[in-house]
Amino acid sequence: MRVKEKTDAIYVRGVVIPCGMADNTGDAPQSKEDIKKIFTNYLTHETDVQHSWVKNFNVYNLENTITETETEINGQKVPAHSWIASTMVVNPEIQAMIREGKLNGYSLGAVGEDGLNENVNFLNKSLRYDELKDKEDLNPIFISLVDKPANGFKWEVYDYNSFLAKSGDIMTNEMSIPSNEEGMVSEGFVERIINKFFLAKSEEEAKKEDEKAASSKKEDELEKSVDEPDISNKELLEKLPELVATAVIEGMKKLAEESSKKDDNAEEKKLEKNEESTSSSKKEDELEKSDEEDEKDKLEKSLGNRKAGPKNTLTKSTSKIPANNTYRTSTFLNSETRDRFGRNKKFL
């Protein structure tokens, strides 16, 4: 909420339900227990004007409480255990009605259990206290801003600064004011409440914590002084060349060792590669030799089989043609298939 809206607002404070007092309409007075039952049912924290049952905008409830002791509002004594409220009015139309005296007090607009969760027209539906046996059944919907409060108590009206002064030390200009029309309080409000009531530390506790922190710091410094010997600048400068030389020598040694290891590894890899190459060459020679021997064996076996086979030779016949076989001979020679020498014409 803007600061100007707060400073230009009108603040009112008055009685919602006085304890043990009948109102101007003759409605029954409410006991401390009854007021508590009704109060805990007021969950909407909304307001309207003259029981219109239409929600006000830019009107914020700042206080809803039940008093513990007798108090005074606008010159009237308010009994203990009464329900009182405070409201900030930013709406300019409602401000004008307050300035003109057309609105000057609170009146509670409530319905019974039957009226809840139903889409009903609440106009003129508000209940009287004496209509309900158990006040747990009374559900406040609006605290109405009216011109003639039935409870007989009129507001006290303040501007911004006078309201802050009247509200005491706890309520401040940011701690008491909601931040928007939905009634959400500002982040600063929550932080200040927490700091004031829950996280605030007494001066004695804060002092003890400071002493404890200082003691812990001294102990850390002592431990550090024991662990790390104090070396003056002069001694450090004298030892610096020696330290640098030692560091350089150590570094060169490490580089030489690493270089030697790399060379050894390279030589080993080279020897392994040569051995692998020689072994591969030997295997190839052996395979070639084996192939040659196999071919030779095959050739020898082939030649041996030819030598051992039957010989195809011609033998001279020893048989003689008889003398009396002239007919057969002449017949053989005179054959159409033979010539005069007895040769087969087919092959000539």
mmCIF file of all heavy atoms in Angstrom, residues 13-42:
data_model
loop_
_atom_site.group_PDB
_atom_site.id
_atom_site.type_symbol
_atom_site.label_atom_id
_atom_site.label_comp_id
_atom_site.label_asym_id
_atom_site.label_seq_id
_atom_site.Cartn_x
_atom_site.Cartn_y
_atom_site.Cartn_z
ATOM 1 N N ARG A 13 -12.657 3.378 15.309
ATOM 2 C CA ARG A 13 -12.567 2.315 16.313
ATOM 3 C C ARG A 13 -13.842 2.324 17.138
ATOM 4 O O ARG A 13 -14.294 3.379 17.593
ATOM 5 C CB ARG A 13 -11.363 2.540 17.230
ATOM 6 C CG ARG A 13 -11.042 1.396 18.175
ATOM 7 C CD ARG A 13 -9.654 1.612 18.785
ATOM 8 N NE ARG A 13 -9.251 0.490 19.613
ATOM 9 C CZ ARG A 13 -9.331 0.453 20.952
ATOM 10 N NH1 ARG A 13 -9.812 1.520 21.594
ATOM 11 N NH2 ARG A 13 -8.952 -0.595 21.623
ATOM 12 N N GLY A 14 -14.452 1.118 17.263
ATOM 13 C CA GLY A 14 -15.714 1.072 17.984
ATOM 14 C C GLY A 14 -16.054 -0.325 18.463
ATOM 15 O O GLY A 14 -15.245 -1.255 18.374
ATOM 16 N N VAL A 15 -17.320 -0.481 18.972
ATOM 17 C CA VAL A 15 -17.778 -1.729 19.582
ATOM 18 C C VAL A 15 -18.642 -2.489 18.583
ATOM 19 O O VAL A 15 -19.560 -1.918 17.975
ATOM 20 C CB VAL A 15 -18.575 -1.438 20.873
ATOM 21 C CG1 VAL A 15 -19.078 -2.741 21.483
ATOM 22 C CG2 VAL A 15 -17.711 -0.662 21.863
ATOM 23 N N VAL A 16 -18.368 -3.791 18.458
ATOM 24 C CA VAL A 16 -19.193 -4.658 17.617
ATOM 25 C C VAL A 16 -20.285 -5.300 18.474
ATOM 26 O O VAL A 16 -21.472 -5.202 18.166
ATOM 27 C CB VAL A 16 -18.336 -5.737 16.925
ATOM 28 C CG1 VAL A 16 -19.217 -6.629 16.041
ATOM 29 C CG2 VAL A 16 -17.238 -5.093 16.085
ATOM 30 N N ILE A 17 -19.893 -5.963 19.567
ATOM 31 C CA ILE A 17 -20.857 -6.553 20.509
ATOM 32 C C ILE A 17 -20.397 -6.208 21.921
ATOM 33 O O ILE A 17 -19.329 -6.663 22.352
ATOM 34 C CB ILE A 17 -20.959 -8.080 20.366
ATOM 35 C CG1 ILE A 17 -21.313 -8.487 18.928
ATOM 36 C CG2 ILE A 17 -22.016 -8.634 21.317
ATOM 37 C CD1 ILE A 17 -21.345 -10.000 18.713
ATOM 38 N N PRO A 18 -21.163 -5.431 22.677
ATOM 39 C CA PRO A 18 -20.805 -5.184 24.080
ATOM 40 C C PRO A 18 -21.228 -6.381 24.941
ATOM 41 O O PRO A 18 -22.262 -7.002 24.692
ATOM 42 C CB PRO A 18 -21.612 -3.932 24.437
ATOM 43 C CG PRO A 18 -22.797 -3.997 23.534
ATOM 44 C CD PRO A 18 -22.365 -4.674 22.276
ATOM 45 N N CYS A 19 -20.423 -6.701 25.909
ATOM 46 C CA CYS A 19 -20.705 -7.869 26.748
ATOM 47 C C CYS A 19 -21.776 -7.530 27.812
ATOM 48 O O CYS A 19 -21.650 -6.534 28.543
ATOM 49 C CB CYS A 19 -19.418 -8.340 27.434
ATOM 50 S SG CYS A 19 -19.617 -9.818 28.458
ATOM 51 N N GLY A 20 -22.813 -8.395 27.847
ATOM 52 C CA GLY A 20 -23.833 -8.281 28.889
ATOM 53 C C GLY A 20 -24.774 -7.107 28.748
ATOM 54 O O GLY A 20 -25.448 -6.742 29.721
ATOM 55 N N MET A 21 -24.870 -6.499 27.575
ATOM 56 C CA MET A 21 -25.731 -5.333 27.381
ATOM 57 C C MET A 21 -26.737 -5.597 26.254
ATOM 58 O O MET A 21 -26.363 -6.040 25.172
ATOM 59 C CB MET A 21 -24.904 -4.094 27.024
ATOM 60 C CG MET A 21 -23.964 -3.635 28.131
ATOM 61 S SD MET A 21 -22.957 -2.207 27.632
ATOM 62 C CE MET A 21 -24.233 -0.982 27.361
ATOM 63 N N ALA A 22 -28.030 -5.339 26.531
ATOM 64 C CA ALA A 22 -29.052 -5.438 25.490
ATOM 65 C C ALA A 22 -28.920 -4.259 24.546
ATOM 66 O O ALA A 22 -28.505 -3.165 24.943
ATOM 67 C CB ALA A 22 -30.437 -5.461 26.125
ATOM 68 N N ASP A 23 -29.272 -4.483 23.253
ATOM 69 C CA ASP A 23 -29.142 -3.381 22.307
ATOM 70 C C ASP A 23 -30.439 -2.579 22.222
ATOM 71 O O ASP A 23 -31.417 -2.866 22.907
ATOM 72 C CB ASP A 23 -28.711 -3.907 20.926
ATOM 73 C CG ASP A 23 -29.750 -4.800 20.282
ATOM 74 O OD1 ASP A 23 -30.920 -4.779 20.704
ATOM 75 O OD2 ASP A 23 -29.378 -5.531 19.338
ATOM 76 N N ASN A 24 -30.445 -1.560 21.364
ATOM 77 C CA ASN A 24 -31.592 -0.632 21.278
ATOM 78 C C ASN A 24 -32.842 -1.285 20.681
ATOM 79 O O ASN A 24 -33.943 -0.745 20.818
ATOM 80 C CB ASN A 24 -31.212 0.586 20.427
ATOM 81 C CG ASN A 24 -30.101 1.392 21.063
ATOM 82 O OD1 ASN A 24 -29.900 1.326 22.283
ATOM 83 N ND2 ASN A 24 -29.381 2.163 20.250
ATOM 84 N N THR A 25 -32.702 -2.429 20.049
ATOM 85 C CA THR A 25 -33.861 -3.109 19.457
ATOM 86 C C THR A 25 -34.491 -4.106 20.422
ATOM 87 O O THR A 25 -35.469 -4.776 20.074
ATOM 88 C CB THR A 25 -33.435 -3.856 18.179
ATOM 89 O OG1 THR A 25 -32.509 -4.904 18.507
ATOM 90 C CG2 THR A 25 -32.798 -2.918 17.181
ATOM 91 N N GLY A 26 -33.905 -4.227 21.607
ATOM 92 C CA GLY A 26 -34.416 -5.181 22.577
ATOM 93 C C GLY A 26 -33.860 -6.579 22.417
ATOM 94 O O GLY A 26 -34.353 -7.527 23.058
ATOM 95 N N ASP A 27 -32.846 -6.742 21.564
ATOM 96 C CA ASP A 27 -32.243 -8.069 21.394
ATOM 97 C C ASP A 27 -31.510 -8.471 22.665
ATOM 98 O O ASP A 27 -31.039 -7.625 23.446
ATOM 99 C CB ASP A 27 -31.272 -8.052 20.210
ATOM 100 C CG ASP A 27 -31.053 -9.447 19.629
ATOM 101 O OD1 ASP A 27 -31.516 -10.430 20.226
ATOM 102 O OD2 ASP A 27 -30.415 -9.539 18.559
ATOM 103 N N ALA A 28 -31.431 -9.771 22.902
ATOM 104 C CA ALA A 28 -30.884 -10.305 24.146
ATOM 105 C C ALA A 28 -29.422 -9.914 24.317
ATOM 106 O O ALA A 28 -28.664 -9.857 23.344
ATOM 107 C CB ALA A 28 -31.029 -11.820 24.164
ATOM 108 N N PRO A 29 -28.986 -9.640 25.539
ATOM 109 C CA PRO A 29 -27.562 -9.377 25.783
ATOM 110 C C PRO A 29 -26.745 -10.653 25.591
ATOM 111 O O PRO A 29 -27.233 -11.754 25.815
ATOM 112 C CB PRO A 29 -27.534 -8.893 27.225
ATOM 113 C CG PRO A 29 -28.749 -9.473 27.856
ATOM 114 C CD PRO A 29 -29.779 -9.551 26.787
ATOM 115 N N GLN A 30 -25.477 -10.477 25.236
ATOM 116 C CA GLN A 30 -24.604 -11.612 24.980
ATOM 117 C C GLN A 30 -23.558 -11.747 26.086
ATOM 118 O O GLN A 30 -22.955 -10.769 26.519
ATOM 119 C CB GLN A 30 -23.895 -11.439 23.630
ATOM 120 C CG GLN A 30 -24.852 -11.295 22.454
ATOM 121 C CD GLN A 30 -25.809 -12.461 22.356
ATOM 122 O OE1 GLN A 30 -25.379 -13.613 22.249
ATOM 123 N NE2 GLN A 30 -27.121 -12.196 22.435
ATOM 124 N N SER A 31 -23.396 -13.005 26.528
ATOM 125 C CA SER A 31 -22.415 -13.293 27.579
ATOM 126 C C SER A 31 -21.001 -13.371 26.985
ATOM 127 O O SER A 31 -20.818 -13.374 25.769
ATOM 128 C CB SER A 31 -22.748 -14.624 28.252
ATOM 129 O OG SER A 31 -22.580 -15.697 27.333
ATOM 130 N N LYS A 32 -20.036 -13.469 27.883
ATOM 131 C CA LYS A 32 -18.638 -13.600 27.443
ATOM 132 C C LYS A 32 -18.458 -14.838 26.554
ATOM 133 O O LYS A 32 -17.795 -14.788 25.513
ATOM 134 C CB LYS A 32 -17.725 -13.680 28.666
ATOM 135 C CG LYS A 32 -16.260 -13.928 28.340
ATOM 136 C CD LYS A 32 -15.387 -13.879 29.594
ATOM 137 C CE LYS A 32 -15.704 -15.045 30.534
ATOM 138 N NZ LYS A 32 -14.770 -15.071 31.686
ATOM 139 N N GLU A 33 -19.078 -15.960 26.960
ATOM 140 C CA GLU A 33 -18.957 -17.205 26.198
ATOM 141 C C GLU A 33 -19.620 -17.082 24.828
ATOM 142 O O GLU A 33 -19.095 -17.565 23.822
ATOM 143 C CB GLU A 33 -19.551 -18.372 26.976
ATOM 144 C CG GLU A 33 -18.761 -18.792 28.207
ATOM 145 C CD GLU A 33 -18.902 -17.806 29.366
ATOM 146 O OE1 GLU A 33 -19.862 -16.982 29.331
ATOM 147 O OE2 GLU A 33 -18.056 -17.835 30.281
ATOM 148 N N ASP A 34 -20.798 -16.438 24.787
ATOM 149 C CA ASP A 34 -21.502 -16.281 23.515
ATOM 150 C C ASP A 34 -20.692 -15.424 22.544
ATOM 151 O O ASP A 34 -20.614 -15.718 21.344
ATOM 152 C CB ASP A 34 -22.871 -15.630 23.748
ATOM 153 C CG ASP A 34 -23.831 -16.557 24.467
ATOM 154 O OD1 ASP A 34 -23.611 -17.780 24.413
ATOM 155 O OD2 ASP A 34 -24.794 -16.048 25.082
ATOM 156 N N ILE A 35 -20.096 -14.349 23.056
ATOM 157 C CA ILE A 35 -19.306 -13.457 22.205
ATOM 158 C C ILE A 35 -18.107 -14.207 21.607
ATOM 159 O O ILE A 35 -17.788 -14.052 20.422
ATOM 160 C CB ILE A 35 -18.849 -12.215 22.996
ATOM 161 C CG1 ILE A 35 -20.061 -11.352 23.342
ATOM 162 C CG2 ILE A 35 -17.833 -11.405 22.192
ATOM 163 C CD1 ILE A 35 -19.747 -10.177 24.237
ATOM 164 N N LYS A 36 -17.480 -15.050 22.422
ATOM 165 C CA LYS A 36 -16.336 -15.822 21.920
ATOM 166 C C LYS A 36 -16.764 -16.774 20.803
ATOM 167 O O LYS A 36 -16.068 -16.941 19.795
ATOM 168 C CB LYS A 36 -15.685 -16.607 23.049
ATOM 169 C CG LYS A 36 -14.889 -15.746 24.020
ATOM 170 C CD LYS A 36 -14.253 -16.603 25.099
ATOM 171 C CE LYS A 36 -13.443 -15.760 26.072
ATOM 172 N NZ LYS A 36 -12.818 -16.584 27.137
ATOM 173 N N LYS A 37 -17.916 -17.421 20.958
ATOM 174 C CA LYS A 37 -18.412 -18.341 19.924
ATOM 175 C C LYS A 37 -18.683 -17.600 18.615
ATOM 176 O O LYS A 37 -18.320 -18.061 17.537
ATOM 177 C CB LYS A 37 -19.686 -19.034 20.405
ATOM 178 C CG LYS A 37 -19.466 -20.022 21.546
ATOM 179 C CD LYS A 37 -20.792 -20.622 21.990
ATOM 180 C CE LYS A 37 -20.601 -21.592 23.149
ATOM 181 N NZ LYS A 37 -21.883 -22.182 23.601
ATOM 182 N N ILE A 38 -19.332 -16.434 18.718
ATOM 183 C CA ILE A 38 -19.636 -15.655 17.508
ATOM 184 C C ILE A 38 -18.349 -15.114 16.883
ATOM 185 O O ILE A 38 -18.165 -15.154 15.663
ATOM 186 C CB ILE A 38 -20.593 -14.500 17.846
ATOM 187 C CG1 ILE A 38 -21.916 -15.056 18.416
ATOM 188 C CG2 ILE A 38 -20.854 -13.643 16.623
ATOM 189 C CD1 ILE A 38 -22.813 -13.994 19.004
ATOM 190 N N PHE A 39 -17.460 -14.622 17.730
ATOM 191 C CA PHE A 39 -16.196 -14.027 17.274
ATOM 192 C C PHE A 39 -15.373 -15.027 16.465
ATOM 193 O O PHE A 39 -14.797 -14.681 15.424
ATOM 194 C CB PHE A 39 -15.408 -13.545 18.497
ATOM 195 C CG PHE A 39 -14.081 -12.928 18.182
ATOM 196 C CD1 PHE A 39 -13.984 -11.592 17.855
ATOM 197 C CD2 PHE A 39 -12.913 -13.674 18.226
ATOM 198 C CE1 PHE A 39 -12.763 -11.004 17.570
ATOM 199 C CE2 PHE A 39 -11.690 -13.112 17.948
ATOM 200 C CZ PHE A 39 -11.610 -11.770 17.619
ATOM 201 N N THR A 40 -15.287 -16.278 16.921
ATOM 202 C CA THR A 40 -14.466 -17.275 16.225
ATOM 203 C C THR A 40 -15.101 -17.757 14.928
ATOM 204 O O THR A 40 -14.468 -18.478 14.156
ATOM 205 C CB THR A 40 -14.205 -18.478 17.145
ATOM 206 O OG1 THR A 40 -15.455 -18.980 17.655
ATOM 207 C CG2 THR A 40 -13.313 -18.096 18.310
ATOM 208 N N ASN A 41 -16.355 -17.371 14.664
ATOM 209 C CA ASN A 41 -16.986 -17.712 13.385
ATOM 210 C C ASN A 41 -16.821 -16.609 12.340
ATOM 211 O O ASN A 41 -17.221 -16.799 11.180
ATOM 212 C CB ASN A 41 -18.481 -17.987 13.572
ATOM 213 C CG ASN A 41 -18.750 -19.355 14.182
ATOM 214 O OD1 ASN A 41 -17.882 -20.209 14.202
ATOM 215 N ND2 ASN A 41 -19.957 -19.558 14.685
ATOM 216 N N TYR A 42 -16.258 -15.479 12.735
ATOM 217 C CA TYR A 42 -16.082 -14.364 11.792
ATOM 218 C C TYR A 42 -14.765 -14.585 11.036
ATOM 219 O O TYR A 42 -13.689 -14.207 11.490
ATOM 220 C CB TYR A 42 -16.056 -13.032 12.537
ATOM 221 C CG TYR A 42 -15.861 -11.823 11.659
ATOM 222 C CD1 TYR A 42 -16.663 -11.586 10.559
ATOM 223 C CD2 TYR A 42 -14.856 -10.888 11.947
ATOM 224 C CE1 TYR A 42 -16.484 -10.475 9.757
ATOM 225 C CE2 TYR A 42 -14.667 -9.765 11.157
ATOM 226 C CZ TYR A 42 -15.487 -9.562 10.058
ATOM 227 O OH TYR A 42 -15.305 -8.461 9.269
#
